[in-house]
Amino acid sequence: MELCGLGEDLDRTCSYYSKKQVEVRDKYLGIIQCAMQTAMVTYIVLGIFIYNQGYLDYEPARGAIATHVHGDTVSAPISRSGVPSTARYFSAEEITQPGLENGNVFVTTRLVSTRQRRGTCEDQTMPCGSDADCHGEVNGLCGKQGFCVENSWCPDEDSEKVYELNGVGDMSIWIKSSIQFVGLAPGKIWSTEKDHPYPEKGFNLFTLKELLAMVKPSPVQLEEVFKLGAAIEVQFIWNCHVADDKCKPQVKVRRLDILFGSEEERGYVFNRAEYITDDERWLNKMSGVRIFLRTVGNGHRLSIVKFVMKASTAGTLLTVAGLVTDLLMLQAFKYSKMYFARKYEVSQDFSEYMEKLAEKREFESRLPGMLAEDDRGALERDAQWHSKFGEQ
């Protein structure tokens, strides 16, 4: 049958090619191949599709967070003489000031207040070895104690007050978290406010002690960080299928200040000044727990495209079993040469064959001339013989 009158054989043009297989009857090779295929199928099913959920489409996102702190405490200041004086009331606004960042919280656990005035005195923040280490603009000199004596804020040590805020551990922090996966579900927002518009203990309402107890890998007691303070991170992690409207976040807490320095540098302390006049102020040294709050998550949904791509890619792994088995059969087994002879058909060296064929064709092309030349030589020899015979 010709193709459209072009002289092409349709059976040849549209022929089907099928691979020829060789059955090698060796139980050890069969066991190796089956074991490798079983291991790969197990990895594909359990590892790729069940554990890693390779059939899902993912979208990471960061959400919003807001906090409200409720509670108060009372503490009597302790002076240098160790005698407590009249107790002072602290509201939530005083304990959690300053805010520092939106959504994050600082809770004071210890407050040291010192009255200061402008004057010339040793500046405890300016250690020195010579007068050159001090500020020459204000005629600063290096004192006997190794600190600069210059114009500075001079503390009234008798005015120092230390407040131990023991009741802050029971202060409540209402945390509101929300997230949106714009790529997968642009019209949906997941929030702790949904079905829980009010503070609910254990879901969106936590005390400071509870957050410290949730720190991983080891919980933290408030008494451990009372004087030096601490920095912790609270994460609301949303891992949601976009079709699930009732997705709930997972709360994880970790301590940060132990990651950034030595044991002596742990804690969280900062100073805040309250000015009385231009030349007089209260310096408040505040130790406490700094809480960094984050909302993160991963949205996912079923993806047919991902499933087909993962399945086709993973399916190619099955061919590795045959390749490894062939390698062992041809290189490591006892009868590898016999297996090689059954598996492969080795052709002759076509380069030498073509050279011999060219020589043969060249010889055949010269053969008629060679025969004609031989005939002429024979005729000439006959003629010479006859001429010699006639002379006699």
Side-chain angles (χ1 to χ4, degrees):
M1 180 177 180
E2 294 185 356
L3 179 62
C4 300
L6 298 179
E8 294 289 339
D9 188 353
L10 185 60
D11 291 330
R12 179 182 293 275
T13 304
C14 300
S15 58
Y16 168 71
Y17 294 88
S18 178
K19 293 183 179 180
K20 181 179 179 181
Q21 293 183 331
V22 178
E23 179 182 356
V24 179
R25 296 184 177 181
D26 189 303
K27 61 181 179 181
Y28 297 107
L29 289 172
I31 291 173
I32 291 173
Q33 184 184 28
C34 291
M36 293 187 65
Q37 288 178 341
T38 302
M40 291 176 182
V41 170
T42 303
Y43 167 73
I44 292 170
V45 174
L46 298 181
I48 296 179
F49 288 104
I50 295 180
Y51 182 76
N52 291 324
Q53 296 182 329
Y55 52 88
L56 296 178
D57 201 5
Y58 288 92
E59 180 188 356
R62 289 182 175 271
I65 202 159
T67 57
H68 299 277
V69 182
H70 303 272
D72 51 23
T73 187
V74 176
S75 177
I78 301 174
S79 62
R80 280 186 173 271
S81 61
V83 179
S85 57
T86 305
R88 175 182 169 183
Y89 170 79
F90 291 89
S91 65
E93 292 76 15
E94 294 177 281
I95 298 172
T96 58
Q97 285 294 325
L100 300 180
E101 296 178 38
N102 293 331
N104 297 332
V105 178
F106 174 78
V107 181
T108 306
T109 57
R110 189 171 187 265
L111 172 63
V112 179
S113 295
T114 306
R115 196 182 186 99
Q116 295 179 332
R117 293 180 177 86
R118 291 186 188 273
T120 301
C121 58
E122 283 190 348
D123 189 348
Q124 299 294 323
T125 64
M126 291 288 296
C128 62
S130 65
D131 294 344
D133 297 329
C134 303
H135 294 108
E137 297 85 352
V138 292
N139 299 319
L141 301 174
C142 187
K144 296 180 180 180
Q145 303 297 327
F147 294 97
C148 291
V149 179
E150 57 186 24
N151 289 338
S152 181
W153 286 100
C154 302
D156 182 1
E157 297 180 354
D158 294 334
S159 67
E160 183 179 285
K161 297 179 181 179
V162 180
Y163 295 92
E164 305 284 353
L165 307 181
N166 298 309
V168 297
D170 296 322
M171 294 189 67
S172 299
I173 304 174
W174 181 15
I175 305 174
K176 303 176 183 180
S177 173
S178 62
I179 198 169
Q180 184 180 21
F181 305 105
V182 180
L184 298 181
K188 284 187 177 182
I189 296 178
W190 287 263
S191 174
T192 55
E193 296 295 286
K194 187 176 183 180
D195 300 329
H196 300 272
Y198 302 104
E200 184 175 327
K201 194 172 180 60
F203 180 74
N204 57 7
L205 184 68
F206 307 90
T207 65
L208 181 59
K209 285 184 178 180
E210 289 173 345
L211 290 177
L212 291 174
M214 294 168 63
V215 172
K216 301 295 183 183
S218 59
V220 177
Q221 299 295 326
L222 181 61
E223 292 75 17
E224 300 176 25
V225 298
F226 201 84
K227 290 187 177 182
L228 297 178
I232 64 174
E233 181 185 50
V234 179
Q235 287 189 340
F236 279 69
I237 304 174
W238 299 78
N239 290 320
C240 303
H241 194 291
V242 294
D244 182 12
D245 296 331
K246 297 186 179 297
C247 180
K248 304 297 181 185
Q250 180 185 7
V251 182
K252 288 187 176 181
V253 186
R254 63 171 180 162
R255 189 172 176 182
L256 300 179
D257 59 303
I258 61 175
L259 304 176
F260 302 130
S262 61
E263 187 172 351
E264 292 77 12
E265 298 174 336
R266 292 182 182 179
Y268 195 90
V269 181
F270 71 94
N271 296 330
R272 182 167 63 93
E274 295 180 6
Y275 288 89
I276 303 171
T277 66
D278 290 342
D279 296 325
E280 193 173 2
R281 71 178 184 178
W282 282 97
L283 181 65
N284 298 315
K285 183 179 180 181
M286 308 175 73
S287 305
V289 180
R290 183 78 169 96
I291 306 174
F292 298 89
L293 296 135
R294 303 286 183 266
T295 294
V296 295
N298 268 302
H300 55 269
R301 68 180 178 186
L302 178 64
S303 173
I304 300 300
V305 175
K306 279 281 188 73
F307 177 80
V308 173
M309 290 182 62
K310 291 285 185 179
S312 58
T313 304
T316 58
L317 289 176
L318 297 177
T319 60
V320 176
L323 295 176
V324 174
T325 306
D326 280 350
L327 181 64
L328 293 175
M329 178 183 71
L330 299 176
Q331 301 295 331
F333 273 56
K334 181 179 180 181
Y335 300 107
S336 58
K337 293 184 178 180
M338 297 177 63
Y339 293 141
F340 184 90
R342 297 296 186 276
K343 182 174 177 62
Y344 297 102
E345 292 183 3
V346 182
S347 68
Q348 58 181 332
D349 189 344
F350 283 102
S351 60
E352 294 183 359
Y353 173 76
M354 295 304 296
E355 291 178 359
K356 293 180 179 180
L357 182 61
E359 293 176 357
K360 181 179 179 181
R361 288 177 177 174
E362 184 181 358
F363 175 76
E364 290 178 350
S365 63
R366 296 200 312 264
L367 185 60
M370 294 171 61
L371 294 176
E373 186 177 351
D374 290 343
D375 290 343
R376 286 195 298 272
L379 291 175
E380 289 177 358
R381 288 194 295 273
D382 288 343
Q384 292 176 0
W385 183 82
H386 283 296
S387 61
K388 290 179 180 181
F389 183 77
E391 292 177 355
Q392 294 177 356

